[in-house]
Amino acid sequence: MIPAPFEYVRAGSADEAVALVSQHGDEAKFLAGGHSLVPLMKLRLAQPSVLVDVGRIRDLSYVRDAGDHLAIGALTRHMDVETSPLVREHAPLLARAASHVGDSQVRHRGTIGGSIAHADPASDLPATTLALGASYVATGPRGTRTIAASDFYRGFLDSALEPDELLVEVRVPKMAGAEWGFQKFVRRAQDWAIVGVAAWRRGRDSGVALVNMGPTPLLARSTMDALRDGAGADEAAQRAADGTDPSSDVNASAEYRAHLARVLVRRALEGRAT
Amino acid sequence: MRISIEVNGAVQQSDVEPRTLLVHWLREQAGLTGTNIGCDSSSCGACTVHLDGEAVKSCTILAVQADGCAVTTIEGLAGPDGLHPMQQAFADHHGLQCGFCTPGMVMAAVGLLRENPAPTEDEVRTGLEGNLCRCTGYHNIVAAVLAAAARGGGR
């Protein structure tokens, strides 16, 4: 399978990338690691006429300690997130989730920014950063803005990013010793989650997010409210699927997904990690 | 677009359409047909090569993205003294059945030992999750990788 023809340009900086995409209009797309976009282009589900390659902008690949949060450059590869000592120390839930993305070959190429910008509800990192209360920094022709993860995901593969805006940084609050769990239910190695859960908890504070339980990554708000009111993990987990509308497909019915969400949230709140 | 890629130690230049996938460029421009195309969808790992020393799936990388980089394919693994230790371990342990997944499997295994020179059996199985053997011959493949690791084959 070969993508439809397109024009290819390489950007040396974020500003240059934004200028190039603006110049080419809605038909242009940013290319980072290409491990979400290229497969879609091979299937002709995406057919951009221009690709602006941002993959060589080295100064967008970093993990920095920024006080109360970690600042992670959008072009940081999954492998580098997974193995970063700073991420392992301050956001171990994110390091674990990054280790579950695709397989090692994919993690050598795919980037955290690319995964978030792609906004796939079945991907691990959008939900994990949502659970952690992250925010995303985007730059575009109208300047730079910060978008809370909770305001970012709009619909299936749809985010608050404008077509000419480039995600440049992911800001992840430090977990400060919170308990955490990550659960990814798959039938086969390297698959997307049938349902997944990223969760942390500190006393009555928590962040619980669901993978593949609707058209966007979702916070399990009823569960978080129950924990806030003093419920135990088991009781709070019973409300994990409240308000969700998961799809039925070849892997699982909607009812089974709701069941999985309740079981996996309980396991995650018990601090268990797959 | 004019690109230049170092393949198995020798720089090759050619004009490519931007949509050319690295695996097609390797097979059709560089003439190296050891790298196989299996699933065409980033799942099976038959097309695994090393890009600047790391295992990647060459069906999901555009040739233009590899411009200026160094690629090693299965043909570049053996040295003047014969087979690479990983190739020898696959032969010794019969780590193959039909052989179709083998080039990708060997390249992934060499990449794995580079990052984790002394893996446990579980780590080998997890580390090779991106490579499928449709003959289901995983047991001997894992045995081969563990044997290569024990002999210091992680170079």
Side-chain angles (χ1 to χ4, degrees):
Chain A
M1 294 184 292
I2 301 171
F6 55 85
E7 190 188 331
Y8 171 87
V9 286
R10 211 172 268 162
S13 67
D15 287 345
E16 190 189 351
V18 166
L20 283 166
V21 161
S22 307
Q23 184 186 318
H24 290 287
D26 287 355
E27 293 306 302
K29 291 279 265 181
F30 295 111
L31 174 72
H35 275 51
S36 298
L37 182 56
V38 172
L40 286 183
M41 290 172 64
K42 288 164 72 172
L43 294 167
R44 311 284 169 113
L45 295 173
Q47 235 167 290
S49 57
V50 180
L51 281 190
V52 175
D53 187 354
V54 297
R56 291 171 192 246
I57 306 176
R58 299 220 177 270
D59 59 5
L60 286 182
S61 174
Y62 56 83
V63 179
R64 291 184 195 130
D65 189 327
D68 62 347
H69 68 275
L70 294 179
I72 304 176
L75 287 173
T76 309
R77 305 176 309 165
H78 304 312
M79 183 68 71
D80 297 323
V81 173
E82 173 189 350
T83 57
S84 157
L86 278 175
V87 178
R88 287 187 169 185
E89 180 180 354
H90 297 295
L93 170 57
L94 178 62
R96 179 62 65 96
S99 78
H100 274 278
V101 178
D103 50 54
S104 70
Q105 290 98 318
V106 169
R107 294 193 293 274
H108 283 139
R109 294 293 299 174
T111 66
I112 187 171
S115 176
I116 287 167
H118 187 54
D120 188 338
S123 288
D124 303 306
L125 300 186
T128 301
T129 51
L130 178 64
L132 288 169
S135 54
Y136 311 137
V137 182
T139 190
R142 295 162 300 284
T144 296
R145 64 185 179 126
T146 304
I147 308 163
S150 53
D151 295 329
F152 186 78
Y153 300 100
R154 296 276 169 88
F156 183 68
L157 305 187
D158 185 24
S159 77
L161 283 177
E162 299 294 333
D164 57 3
E165 279 185 309
L166 178 68
L167 193 66
V168 291
E169 189 174 275
V170 179
R171 293 180 177 165
V172 180
K174 289 184 180 174
M175 292 175 66
E179 295 171 59
W180 60 275
F182 182 80
Q183 291 286 318
K184 182 173 182 175
F185 189 84
V186 292
R187 286 179 199 265
R188 303 172 304 189
Q190 68 162 264
D191 264 354
W192 279 272
I194 293 174
V195 173
V197 174
W200 62 268
R201 190 179 177 190
R202 191 187 306 103
R204 294 188 173 197
D205 288 335
S206 68
V208 182
L210 306 170
V211 178
N212 218 0
M213 280 294 287
T216 67
L218 294 169
L219 284 174
R221 291 190 187 277
S222 293
T223 293
M224 292 164 62
D225 289 345
L227 292 169
R228 164 86 54 199
D229 294 340
D234 206 7
E235 186 188 345
Q238 289 309 310
R239 293 156 68 169
D242 291 6
T244 65
D245 185 18
S247 58
S248 293
D249 59 28
V250 66
N251 285 315
S253 65
E255 293 75 19
Y256 184 54
R257 282 201 159 86
H259 168 73
L260 282 176
R262 290 187 287 268
V263 173
L264 299 176
V265 164
R266 176 175 53 76
R267 289 180 187 168
L269 289 174
E270 288 168 351
R272 290 152 71 176
T274 51
Chain B
M1 181 175 168
R2 189 83 175 155
I3 61 168
S4 169
I5 300 176
E6 184 188 313
V7 186
N8 299 333
V11 174
Q12 300 208 25
Q13 296 191 337
S14 64
D15 288 307
V16 298
E17 268 194 272
R19 62 176 174 159
T20 308
L21 301 169
L22 178 59
V23 69
H24 290 132
W25 186 85
L26 288 168
R27 291 175 58 87
E28 293 159 22
Q29 298 292 313
L32 297 167
T33 53
T35 304
N36 284 331
I37 300 172
C39 69
D40 235 340
S41 58
S42 338
S43 300
C44 78
C47 66
T48 299
V49 300
H50 293 177
L51 184 66
D52 288 338
E54 292 177 326
V56 298
K57 293 182 169 176
S58 59
C59 78
T60 310
I61 294 175
L62 303 169
V64 289
Q65 288 179 285
D67 182 22
C69 298
V71 172
T72 306
T73 69
I74 190 73
E75 291 91 341
L77 219 48
D81 303 332
L83 293 179
H84 182 279
M86 187 64 73
Q87 291 173 307
Q88 189 61 53
F90 269 65
D92 294 345
H93 291 268
H94 195 61
L96 69 159
Q97 291 181 30
C98 83
F100 191 85
C101 73
T102 311
M105 214 43 106
V106 169
M107 297 309 289
V110 172
L112 167 65
L113 292 197
R114 220 169 253 168
E115 289 169 4
N116 182 2
T120 63
E121 180 182 335
D122 270 0
E123 287 169 342
V124 171
R125 290 184 184 275
T126 305
L128 295 179
E129 70 180 326
N131 292 74
L132 304 181
C133 167
R134 288 300 69 176
C135 308
T136 70
Y138 295 104
H139 188 73
N140 285 356
I141 291 170
V142 172
V145 178
L146 288 170
R151 279 187 240 135
R155 65 183 171 85

